[in-house]
């Protein structure tokens, strides 16, 4: 056996150096394993798409980004004004190879309000065109996301709808990160309508900043809860705000060593196999739904990045527009 006390100092130095390099490589690999799936709800958009005369603004943006995207469709929007344009728009979404299709119900009902029968009928009604588009493009329609992420008002409603989705071969699609982009978009569109471009730009920049803050918060929470970086799922909406500012968010995430993956790959993370302990109607992130301690859940939600400014501004503009 080798006498370590008489070992060649150069060999020991080389071993220490090799160990340091391996440790550094392992650290870089771990850091490089950040993953996120981007998902878009409320497709096709019912306002800015028509304003832009059928130009698929967000879709054009995503074409240039070359990343996988999951979309959740409200077929009811196809039967509103300019329905032919909308149908062509949805066709364009469906035929993109990078797009995964999902059902978001026909008319975006809130499950806890309308109840099981009306809601399940709306789910079935919302798949008729989408299933045809999926087959046409060699895809499946297996993912489902609740409008408002409302899974029901109590544990009985939660369980009933989960059983229904399973029986109908749907996979409930969670999210871990969202940054109330719909609220920022409302304010953003308001400023554009008032020709206040500077304020609109500031709103867009604030949206980018808060989104990145949410990513950092949930990353830290994931490390604390699971000792690793989980595969995140980001939820946003089909709106003009994302058509303009989503590229900035994604570029910032790239610089943080994020890789953009499909919804299918994200859901393979075992974290999504955990029990959902949350039985109320509010659409909170699954990182909280997996917590069996309600006090811990509430405490961590209160520690999220502060959105009070945009909430106040949104409520003020909303009140003014109703007068």
């Amino acid at each position: 056996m080798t006498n370590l006390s008489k070992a060649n100092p150069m060999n020991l130095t080389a071993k220490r150096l090799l160990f340091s390099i391996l440790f550094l490589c392992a650290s870089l690999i771990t850091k490089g394993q950040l993953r996120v799936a981007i998902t878009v709800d409320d497709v096709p958009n019912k306002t800015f798409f028509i304003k832009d005369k059928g130009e698929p603004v967000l879709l054009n943006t995503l074409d240039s980004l070359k990343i996988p995207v999951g979309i959740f469709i409200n077929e009811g929007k196809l039967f509103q004004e300019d329905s032919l344009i909308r149908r062509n728009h949805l066709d364009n979404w469906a035929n993109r190879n990078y797009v995964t299709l999902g059902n978001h119900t026909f008319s975006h009902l809130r499950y806890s309000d309308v109840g099981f029968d009306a809601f399940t009928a709306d789910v079935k009604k919302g798949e008729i065109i989408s299933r045809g588009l999926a087959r046409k493009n060699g895809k499946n329609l297996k993912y489902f996301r609740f409008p408002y992420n409302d899974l029901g008002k109590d544990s009985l409603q939660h369980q009933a709808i989960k059983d229904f989705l399973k029986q109908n071969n749907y996979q409930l699609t969670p999210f871990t990160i969202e940054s109330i982009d719909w609220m920022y978009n409302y304010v953003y569109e308001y400023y554009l309508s008032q020709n206040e471009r500077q304020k609109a730009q500031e709103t867009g920049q604030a949206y980018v900043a808060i989104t990145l803050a949410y990513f950092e918060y949930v990353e830290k929470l994931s490390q604390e809860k699971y000792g690793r970086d989980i595969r995140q799922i980001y939820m946003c909406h089909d709106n003009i705000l994302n058509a303009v500012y989503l590229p900035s968010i994604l570029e910032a995430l790239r610089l943080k060593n994020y890789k953009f993956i499909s919804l299918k790959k994200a859901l393979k993370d075992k974290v999504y196999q955990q029990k959902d302990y949350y039985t109320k109607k509010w659409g909170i992130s699954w990182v909280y739904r997996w917590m069996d301690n309600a006090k811990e859940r509430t405490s961590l939600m209160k520690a999220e990045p502060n959105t009070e400014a945009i909430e106040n501004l949104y409520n003020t503009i909303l009140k003014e527009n109703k007068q």
Side-chain angles (χ1 to χ4, degrees), residues 26 32 80 197 313:
Q80 297 170 355
R197 299 281 173 176
L313 188 54

Side-chain angles (χ1 to χ4, degrees), residues 197 262 306:
R197 299 281 173 176
S262 67
N306 192 315

